[in-house]
Every structure is written in structure tokens, then in C-alpha cells.
Amino acid sequence: SWGFIMTTRDFTANVISATKVVPDGNFKDSAASGVWDINEALDLIKGGNWPNAANINPAAFVDALFSTFLYDGTGSNLEINNGINLSGKGGLVWAKRRNGNDPHWLVDTERGLNKSLQTNDTAADNTGSDQIVSFDSDGFTLGNRNEGQNYSGLPYVSWTFRKQPKFFDVVTYSSNQSSSQTINHNLGSVPGMIIVKRTDATSQWVVYHREADSSNPEEYALNLNTTGVRNQGSSFWNNTAPTSTQFTVGNNASTNDSDPANYVAYLFAHNNNDGGFGEPGDQDIIKCGSYTGNNSTDGPTINLGFEPQWLFIKHTDADGNSSFILDSMRGIFTGSADPTLSPNAAQDEQDTQNMVDLTSTGFQIKRANSNINGSSKNYIYMAIRRGGMQTPTVGTDVFHVNKFTTTGFSSYNGVGFAPDLAIQKAPGSGSEGWDTIDKLRGPTKYFVLNETNTEQNDTQYSLGGFLNDGVKLGSDPSNGQWAAYNPNMHYYWKRANGYFDIVCWEGSGTSGYETINHNLGVTPEMVWFKNRDSNSNPRGNWYVYHKDLTNSNGYVFLNTTPGEATDYPGWATGTFAPSSTQFTMLKNTLSYTNESYVGYFFATAAGVSKVGSFSGNSGTQTIDCGFSGGNGARFVVIKAISTSGNWFVWDSARGIVSGNDSYLLFNSTAAEETSYDSIDPHESGFTLNNVGSGTNDSGTTYIFYAIA
């Protein structure tokens, strides 16, 4: 045997130290440390006791610190399980009814369960024992209060911020009846934004923002509850910049009254390549910045270094303009109208304008309007990173398949996560295709995998929305594709580091290279992408890149049967080869000027998914995907590339069993075929038989994608 030496830098987030410590439990709940020889390591790996991303403190990931959660009121106690530990760590719940003239309301763990504030007015604490009845280890529980918080059957959105250094903090303080005072906080970094509200009397909501002024932001304050311009004066922050441990207030009644007064302050961090989050421990999750408008639908592009899931935007130098909150659960849609709420108004959600498009590294302003993009006007923002920073370790956390035998249902809860990609097929129908919808483009925009058609917008074939644990069906679910068939197959993916990502982009050239940024976190091993605007041949096809195609410029179409082709050289190689942050293709071949695209990026996540290839043997062979736990693959896709062949699809909901297995074809509307025993279950992946389907022919090369 042989040994090896590694430093702490060789292990995920430095979970290995110089002192050898044997794990005291499974890899999800314990940690190991030390320098190990290869045999010792292998023994621990086989036992499931080896450090990986799951050992990192959950607070290292934005999913444990922030949540946008959609719920329908019940009029009685309602548990909101959003994964945020409020009972142990503390934080803030901010919520708003989406379709009515009801206020924004805020409850935090420092003031307690029975007190709420409203950002759209100046009132003091609203007290009552029936607002939030408990802060929980996985969220909070609403009481039966019907004043805009929990009306039966009405839709709401909640935003939960958990206390965490370099992300968020809540403090309360009392006025000192002096010209100024300093307030201690535990943010652990210089705040990017501070919101202060007096709680025992009427007062304005006062906001400090690090870019309210380019030189001296501590001389200015904004009002959250009004549309007014920024206010200048030393009375707000005593002309003193905040520090990583304190902020200073002057003698303004809204921050430090000369009479006895009580206040709450919400402090939001600004990470500047110093956040320390994520698996590498070097990621940012929150940024506070500014931009200058250009009054164009091709507005400013803001580079955050990450794709946001939540945005707050406010005009600073013009009166009469609202502030806006956007989030990816209600929808920040690429190329479509975005639902917005305004903290200064009790009005319902507005969704008539395309305000913002997300990018892999930030966002772009898309509306030519003074509220958000006036010519030479100034705006501040706060952005929170999208979730999915952690590499999954369990397939059911990021992939779900279900076979429905009922029709006409209005929503489906039970996915187990908030899905980002949804694909539907009626397996008994020989005429219905594969409807494909993703959260980035929006629930009403769909493609059909087996067609070259442009993106469609039709309520019959689309969804009504994405939920935290499933999807809402369209306005007429009894006639919609997603609930009209018995049986009906639904497949759901969640975006996650090292597993799956979605990117939208605009084609931008007639020659040279098109570089697409992505957030997969690893080099993509398979990419499906589709032109949203064209159905012409060839660019209306679903192009597929796969790491095991035999030619560096090879590709296959998802919607057709031919094997690998090279007549349209596309993927860049060498210096421009796919990487953990970028994917490059040739312009005027696969990325046309002024046309829009969507791409789905897939990778092998150990024990969860496998992107690979094999050579057929006309017999029986087991494809080892590295899965464990005894159940093997729940989803398998196979395509011949050295010859023509279908895209075969098997799943555990219809059966991957020792007998006959039903398969569908991505490239066809055909009903499922039930006559062949082409695939068998295997604990590490799946076993192939050469029976009928032509997925294991001797001498034929196949690519595959499998999920545990």
C-alpha cells in the first residue's frame, strides 16, 4: 500500500486539520480531521463516514439564512417551514399579501412575537398575540390574525432573514436624549444598509445605504415609507460612518429622539469578496450598491459576481418614485413582466412590466422608466444570492419524479424542494409531447423537447407558478396539459452546485466566440440549449453538448435521432474549453445576433447524478454510477452517438424493475413502450440488457445521464 499527504487546502472548506480525528457519525452529521493514508480513507468512505460538503456549517449557505416563501392564508394557525432557524438564531420575518391593499408587516425576534411594524406607514408597534405565535427551528408559525397576514385562501409572500455575521443582524436600542450615540451590533462587517424605525411612537422609516452618496453616505438618509428623495443632514447618523461593530445616530427623532424613545434597527451586510460563504468558503451572498439609469430597455448591467434571488431597488434623487422588491419565487423572469411590491405602498402586486432580467453574475435593468431607470438618475439596491450553493448528497433533494393517476388538480405539493425545471409527458398518449418550463423564463413560457418550435406562451400548456414545494397548475387545470391526462408524468429539477444550472442569454455576434457564464460550480458535462426565438433548421433544434462526444465540435440533437454530427462546429476547445464558470461556443453557428437562448447545464454530483458513456456489448452489463443506498438510479436517459438512435427515458415511478420496464422517448410524442426488459435496477446505478430497445448493441457507443 501507499500513503499520501494532503494539506487543509486539499479538502472541502478546510474540514480536515492536522490532528487525526475519526468521524463520530455519518458524513452529514459529523466531521473528520487529520492526515490519512489511502486505505484508512477508503475504509471510512465505504462506511459513509468521510468529510464532504455536507459537513460544513449550514450557515455557510444562503439557503439557511434567507428564504422567500409563498403561502396561502388559512385563517388559523399556519406553520411556515422555510428551513430558517429563527428560534435558535433569531431574525426577521417580512411579509405582504400579494393581491390586496394590505400593509407590509415585519416581526423580529428582538421585539418579540406580539409586535409588528408596517413599512408603508409611520405607526408604532402593532401589538397582538395572534400575529406570529412562535419562532421555530425551521421557520415560524402564523396565528389566526386576519389583518393582512393570514386571510383564508389569499396569497402571501414572506421574506425571512436570519441573523448571521456578514449577512444580517437585528438590534434594539433606546434614545439617550443626547446629540448622538453609538449602537453596538454583531454584523461582523461594515453594514451596507441599515433600516431604523421608532417602535413606541409614529416616525419615519430611516435608511442608511453605503451608496446613498458617492462620497459621504453617512450625511444622507432615505425614507422607506415614502417616495421622497434622499435627505441630507447630520441629525440622522451624526455624519459618522458605521463600523463592523457599531453605528452612530444623531439627534433626529427618527433615530435618537431627545425624549425617551425605543427603536429597532435592521442591519444588512455588504460582501466584497470577503463573505466567506459557500463550499470553497470564499463566496459572497449579499451586496449593496448603486447604478445610474439610462432610460433604455437595454439598461445598466450590474455585476454582483452571483445570480440574485432577491432585489430591493430605490430611486435616491427624484421625488414621486417608489421602491421595489423583486424575488425569484414570485418571479424575476427573463424577457417577461416581473411581479413587484413596493415597501412604501400597501397596494397589491404589480406585474405589467419587464423590470429586470437576471444574469449568472447579476442583473440588468430592462424598463425605460424613471422609477427604476431614468436618464442620469441614481438608484441604490440590495441583492441576495440565489440558493443552491451546496453540492447535493441525496438525489431526492434535487430531483423528483411522479406518475399521476388523477386529473384536474390545481396544484401539486410534495416535490420536496422548490423546483427550477419542470418537464411533463402523458405516457399513454401518442400525440402529446414533452412540455418544458423553467423558473428563469417563467411559468407561462414553455418549449416542447421533441420539437423545434419557438418558445410558446399558452396557459393550457403552462403552469400557474412555482411553489416552495411544487407547482401551481394553470388557470384551467382540467384542460391543461399538466393535469388533464391519466396517467401523467412530472419530472422536477432543482438548481444546485455541481449538479444542475439554468442560464438565459442573448446571441451577440456574427463571428468569434460567445462566452456564457454559468453557476454550475464545476465544468459542465452535458448542456442542452434552445433558441427561444427561431424554429428554423438547424438553429431551432435542441443542441446537446456532452463531454463524451468523440469530436471536440461534436453535437447531437435532443429532438431527433441521428448520431453525433460535426457539420456545425460550435464548442470552443483549448483555451476556450468549458470551465467551472464559463461555456464557450462559436457565434453565427450556435448563437445568433438578437436571438434569445436558454441552456440547461448538467454535471456528475457524487452519489446523486452521473453523466457518462459506455460501449454496448449485446449482452448484459452494469453501469456503475457511484450511487449507494441500495436503490440505484431513479431516472435514466440513454442515446446512441456512433449511430442513429432514440433518446430513451426510464424512471422509477413507471418502474425500473427486474421485469419489463416502460420507456419513453425524449425525441418523440410516442406513448410509452412496455414490451421489453431493457433495464434492471442495480444499487450502484443500473443494469442493461440487450432486449428490444437497442440500448446495448455491440460496438455502439452510448451517452447517458442518470439520477439516484
Side-chain angles (χ1 to χ4, degrees):
S1 65
W2 55 278
F4 67 97
I5 300 296
M6 289 189 174
T7 68
T8 58
R9 295 181 59 192
D10 295 305
F11 293 89
T12 303
N14 297 346
V15 295
I16 305 297
S17 70
T19 303
K20 185 184 296 185
V21 176
V22 177
D24 57 5
N26 67 58
F27 60 77
K28 277 193 170 184
D29 303 317
S30 65
S33 63
V35 179
W36 305 77
D37 71 36
I38 191 68
N39 292 315
E40 291 174 319
L42 287 173
D43 287 341
L44 288 169
I45 291 169
K46 290 176 182 178
N49 296 326
W50 189 248
N52 67 4
N55 281 340
I56 305 172
N57 185 339
F61 303 99
V62 70
D63 308 76
L65 303 176
F66 175 80
S67 167
T68 297
F69 196 94
L70 309 180
Y71 66 93
D72 289 336
T74 62
S76 58
N77 285 15
L78 175 63
E79 290 186 11
I80 304 299
N81 299 320
N82 59 19
I84 309 299
N85 183 359
L86 289 175
S87 62
K89 302 297 184 179
L92 164 69
V93 177
W94 180 342
K96 171 74 172 78
R97 178 179 163 187
R98 299 176 62 186
N99 69 345
N101 193 35
D102 284 320
H104 294 250
W105 56 272
L106 285 73
V107 180
D108 62 73
T109 55
E110 294 302 302
R111 289 179 301 123
L113 294 170
N114 302 325
K115 297 179 180 180
S116 65
L117 292 165
Q118 301 174 0
T119 62
N120 47 280
D121 66 33
T122 61
D125 269 328
N126 184 350
T127 60
S129 60
D130 51 0
Q131 300 181 72
I132 288 183
V133 297
S134 67
F135 295 115
D136 306 327
S137 61
D138 58 357
F140 57 95
T141 299
L142 289 164
N144 59 7
R145 192 180 185 94
N146 281 332
E147 297 179 9
Q149 300 171 10
N150 193 14
Y151 282 104
S152 179
L154 296 181
Y156 295 84
V157 59
S158 65
W159 305 297
T160 303
F161 303 79
R162 204 205 84 178
K163 287 186 176 183
Q164 175 68 21
K166 296 190 176 182
F167 177 65
F168 176 72
D169 194 22
V170 186
V171 298
T172 56
Y173 66 94
S174 299
S175 61
N176 66 352
Q177 303 173 56
S178 180
S179 60
S180 68
Q181 70 166 315
T182 57
I183 313 299
N184 295 324
H185 66 79
N186 294 306
L187 192 61
S189 61
V190 178
M193 187 167 79
I194 306 171
I195 301 174
V196 174
K197 175 70 174 74
R198 183 171 178 176
T199 60
D200 59 354
T202 59
S203 71
Q204 302 291 326
W205 286 80
V206 182
V207 179
Y208 164 87
H209 193 282
R210 61 184 295 272
E211 295 195 9
D213 182 73
S214 59
S215 301
N216 300 296
E218 62 273 10
E219 295 182 7
Y220 294 87
L222 297 157
N223 291 134
L224 188 65
N225 56 292
T226 73
T227 60
V229 300
R230 64 181 185 171
N231 303 291
Q232 186 175 18
S234 62
S235 64
F236 297 104
W237 318 114
N238 201 43
N239 287 358
T240 304
T243 71
S244 61
T245 58
Q246 294 179 325
F247 67 96
T248 303
V249 291
N251 59 2
N252 188 282
S254 295
T255 57
N256 189 33
D257 202 339
S258 57
D259 293 326
N262 298 320
Y263 299 85
V264 64
Y266 304 120
L267 297 92
F268 303 87
H270 168 68
N271 301 157
N272 186 21
N273 298 319
D274 61 353
F277 298 96
E279 288 182 8
D282 61 357
Q283 305 292 303
D284 295 337
I285 64 170
I286 184 170
K287 285 186 181 289
C288 300
S290 63
Y291 64 88
T292 301
N294 64 9
N295 197 38
S296 167
T297 56
D298 186 20
T301 296
I302 290 83
N303 183 8
L304 303 170
F306 56 78
E307 179 186 321
Q309 63 168 310
W310 191 88
L311 291 169
F312 165 78
I313 298 173
K314 181 166 176 56
H315 201 165
T316 63
D317 56 8
D319 201 357
N321 293 310
S322 295
S323 54
F324 300 99
I325 293 177
L326 302 95
D327 63 71
S328 59
M329 282 304 304
R330 291 180 301 127
I332 307 176
F333 305 129
T334 303
S336 301
D338 305 308
T340 62
L341 289 166
S342 297
N344 56 278
Q347 68 184 17
D348 58 0
E349 188 174 82
Q350 306 296 300
D351 61 355
T352 60
Q353 299 290 334
N354 183 19
M355 307 287 278
V356 171
D357 280 356
L358 298 180
T359 71
S360 295
T361 55
F363 61 98
Q364 183 180 20
I365 307 300
K366 300 298 290 187
R367 187 182 181 193
N369 178 274
S370 60
N371 283 331
I372 196 169
N373 189 22
S375 179
S376 301
K377 299 300 182 181
N378 296 310
Y379 304 82
I380 58 166
Y381 66 81
M382 182 172 72
I384 298 176
R385 188 184 190 119
R386 174 177 65 80
M389 299 175 71
Q390 188 171 5
T391 301
T393 58
V394 179
T396 52
D397 288 345
V398 289
F399 178 77
H400 179 80
V401 56
N402 197 7
K403 179 180 179 180
F404 293 91
T405 56
T406 58
T407 61
F409 49 94
S410 60
S411 64
Y412 173 47
N413 291 281
V415 170
F417 52 83
D420 293 294
L421 171 65
I423 298 178
Q424 176 271 150
K425 171 75 171 82
S429 171
S431 61
E432 298 300 328
W434 297 79
D435 297 318
T436 304
I437 296 173
D438 62 71
K439 190 186 293 182
L440 203 56
R441 292 179 299 117
T444 66
K445 301 292 183 67
Y446 76 92
F447 285 117
V448 182
L449 284 184
N450 50 282
E451 295 179 357
T452 61
N453 289 349
T454 58
E455 180 179 85
Q456 304 295 304
N457 187 6
D458 185 324
T459 56
Q460 181 178 354
Y461 292 86
S462 63
L463 295 172
F466 286 92
L467 305 175
N468 293 85
D469 189 30
V471 294
K472 181 181 289 185
L473 279 299
S475 58
D476 185 11
S478 62
N479 292 320
Q481 301 298 103
W482 293 77
Y485 293 97
N486 180 6
N488 202 334
M489 297 303 306
H490 286 200
Y491 305 87
Y492 297 98
W493 282 258
K494 179 182 179 180
R495 299 166 77 181
N497 186 67
Y499 166 70
F500 173 64
D501 192 25
I502 305 173
V503 180
C504 289
W505 72 91
E506 300 292 322
S508 62
T510 58
S511 63
Y513 296 107
E514 182 84 78
T515 297
I516 295 102
N517 295 312
H518 64 81
N519 285 310
L520 190 60
V522 297
T523 300
E525 296 178 309
M526 182 171 67
V527 181
W528 307 348
F529 77 90
K530 176 75 173 71
N531 189 313
R532 299 173 65 182
D533 302 319
S534 175
N535 62 359
S536 66
N537 192 6
R539 66 182 190 258
N541 289 290
W542 284 87
Y543 280 85
V544 176
Y545 161 85
H546 192 286
K547 69 180 181 66
D548 291 336
L549 292 170
T550 57
N551 189 287
S552 60
N553 285 317
Y555 67 90
V556 285
F557 288 147
L558 190 64
N559 53 289
T560 61
T561 61
E564 180 178 349
T566 59
D567 53 334
Y568 292 99
W571 328 122
T573 59
T575 304
F576 298 100
S579 73
S580 61
T581 58
Q582 293 183 326
F583 185 79
T584 304
M585 61 183 66
L586 292 176
K587 297 177 183 177
N588 202 30
T589 300
L590 302 177
S591 190
Y592 293 81
T593 305
N594 298 324
E595 293 182 352
S596 301
Y597 295 82
V598 63
Y600 304 136
F601 292 67
F602 304 87
T604 296
V608 172
S609 62
K610 178 67 176 180
V611 179
S613 62
F614 63 90
S615 180
N617 67 1
S618 289
T620 298
Q621 65 169 317
T622 295
I623 307 302
D624 186 351
C625 300
F627 301 158
S628 60
N631 295 320
R634 292 184 297 132
F635 178 75
V636 178
V637 178
I638 295 176
K639 168 74 172 82
I641 59 171
S642 60
T643 186
S644 181
N646 290 302
W647 287 85
F648 294 89
V649 180
W650 291 271
D651 61 72
S652 57
R654 289 177 302 120
I656 299 176
V657 296
S658 57
N660 287 1
D661 314 277
S662 302
Y663 66 75
L664 290 163
L665 307 175
F666 268 159
N667 54 282
S668 173
T669 62
E672 63 183 348
E673 174 58 64
T674 62
S675 303
Y676 303 110
D677 181 15
S678 302
I679 188 171
D680 287 337
H682 191 276
E683 62 180 7
S684 68
F686 56 94
T687 296
L688 286 170
N689 306 310
N690 191 36
V691 180
S693 62
T695 51
N696 191 24
D697 293 336
S698 180
T700 299
T701 301
Y702 299 88
I703 56 174
F704 74 89
Y705 173 53
I707 306 175

